[in-house]
Amino acid sequence: MALTLYNTLSRKKEPFKPFDPANVRMYVCGPTVYDFAHIGNARPVIVFDLVYRLLRHRYGPDHVTYVRNITDVDDKINARAAEDYPDLPLNEAIRCVTEKTEQQFHRDVAALGCLPPTVEPRATQHIAEMTTMIETLVERGCAYVAEDHILFHVAAMPDYGKLSGRPLDEMIAGARVEVAPFKRDAMDFVLWKPSMPGEPSWPSPAGIETPGRPGWHIECSAMSWKHLGETFDIHGGGIDLVFPHHENEIAQSRCAHGTKVMANHWLHNGFLQVEGEKMAKSLGNFVTIHELLTGWQGYAWPGEALRFNMLRTHYRQPLDWTHVGLDESHKTLWEWYGDLEGKEGGGGVPGPVLDTVYDDLNTPKAIAALHKLHSSGKWAGLRAALNLLGFSGQRANIRRHAGAKNKARGGSRAEVGSDAGHVDRLIAARNEARNAKNFAEADRIRAELEAVGIVLKDSAEGTTWEVAR
Ligand code: AMP
Ligand code: ZN
């Protein structure tokens, strides 16, 4: 049975051939740790956990190295730290934010049935590798120093843009990015930038005196180099990372190491939306993994139901996350796990299931095969297939509870729901905004209420509200 994977680099499905079957190597871009992970962030974690499990199944658990980094240096982290801990020195506040967020992330993804990666490197522990790579790039003429910044010069790499299919000359011609005056080309990107006093900083490479900090892209090039080598087998992430993040990782790594590829196979998951709309805080449909596990639309959902709901859609397709779909996913598992109680296990994963998941992770088709195993009473096969996909098969693990509270920022449903005066005041403010034709403000207030579970209904008689179910 061949394992085939779609490769963003070649835009087709290709047989997977590792450099070394005794040491299969995969890198996936991990979270920037400043806030709760949302259900969209869960998608790459689950998808690449499945890839990891398939590789372990095929090559043996000791022959696969999976690296997923933690980005713990980033301007968004600095901003959040200053906001949440205004009384602490910035570096201490940053430590509070990153440690708390990282622990929460680990709890969340463990509940989704994801194995810990082999290595989980932190950016701040790889500054030495980053500065080494940056100095090599400067020495080779692929990067230059300008006003205490170090920039990668894209024109130094003739096939820059191959992954995203954007030829360099077109990009330069059509560039609409704001151009810093010290950039040679609009597309040149930051490898290193100066820090203000008080901001996280390290001694700068390439003879710059002002201390500074790395750009985002170089972090992944450095960490994958350290833990997987100059070239490796699979690089993954969400589709939004293709450009510029992965394109820039490729440019840095290939130019620093003088290699033809960074990774042979580039895998990208499609985007997730919620109830038919792009997920956004301003739309009030933003939902974190933690909320789903502790209370979303009235229920605390078991992590396995979230995982199953994710895998019902092919990983490259857009996914619409809905309450109805989640409920169906939970019911299916509940039925299967109940029927599996007391049945004999043992035996391998049935061929049709393995065939479909080895065919570019066709999980919807694999799940159809699981339904067949269930309806024909092939209990051992059903259990083995569930285990391969990361499911326990135990009813005790998938009890659904009434969600006590919905911990949106700013309060729980119960608190806000009981403070009707507060809701009425916001509705009055929204009406004022609407009368003044300030629809952006009116929408913002609607979203603020939705975020805490209050739904507004407009009619000819005026606006009423109810607690969302
Ligand atoms: P970010 O926190 O935005 O850096 O994202 C972390 C990971 O989650 C990246 O691999 C993103 O591509 C992925 N991601 C973010 N939003 C979504 C979404 N709505 N659907 C699927 N993947 C997403
Ligand atoms: Zn990355």
Side-chain angles (χ1 to χ4, degrees), residues 29-32 38 40-41 43-44 237-241 269-272 279:
C29 300
T32 304
H38 58 64
N41 300 139
R43 196 172 189 194
I239 189 84
D240 58 319
L241 299 186
N269 63 271
F271 249 47
L272 171 154
M279 181 170 47

Side-chain angles (χ1 to χ4, degrees), residues 372-409:
K372 275 211 190 105
L373 291 170
H374 173 254
S375 59
S376 53
K378 304 246 170 61
W379 307 118
L382 178 60
R383 189 178 288 285
L386 280 165
N387 292 162
L388 174 75
L389 301 180
F391 295 96
S392 70
Q394 307 288 335
R395 255 197 182 175
N397 296 335
I398 59 161
R399 295 198 189 286
R400 188 180 68 163
H401 301 284
K405 53 187 182 230
N406 187 351
K407 279 240 167 137
R409 278 184 152 242

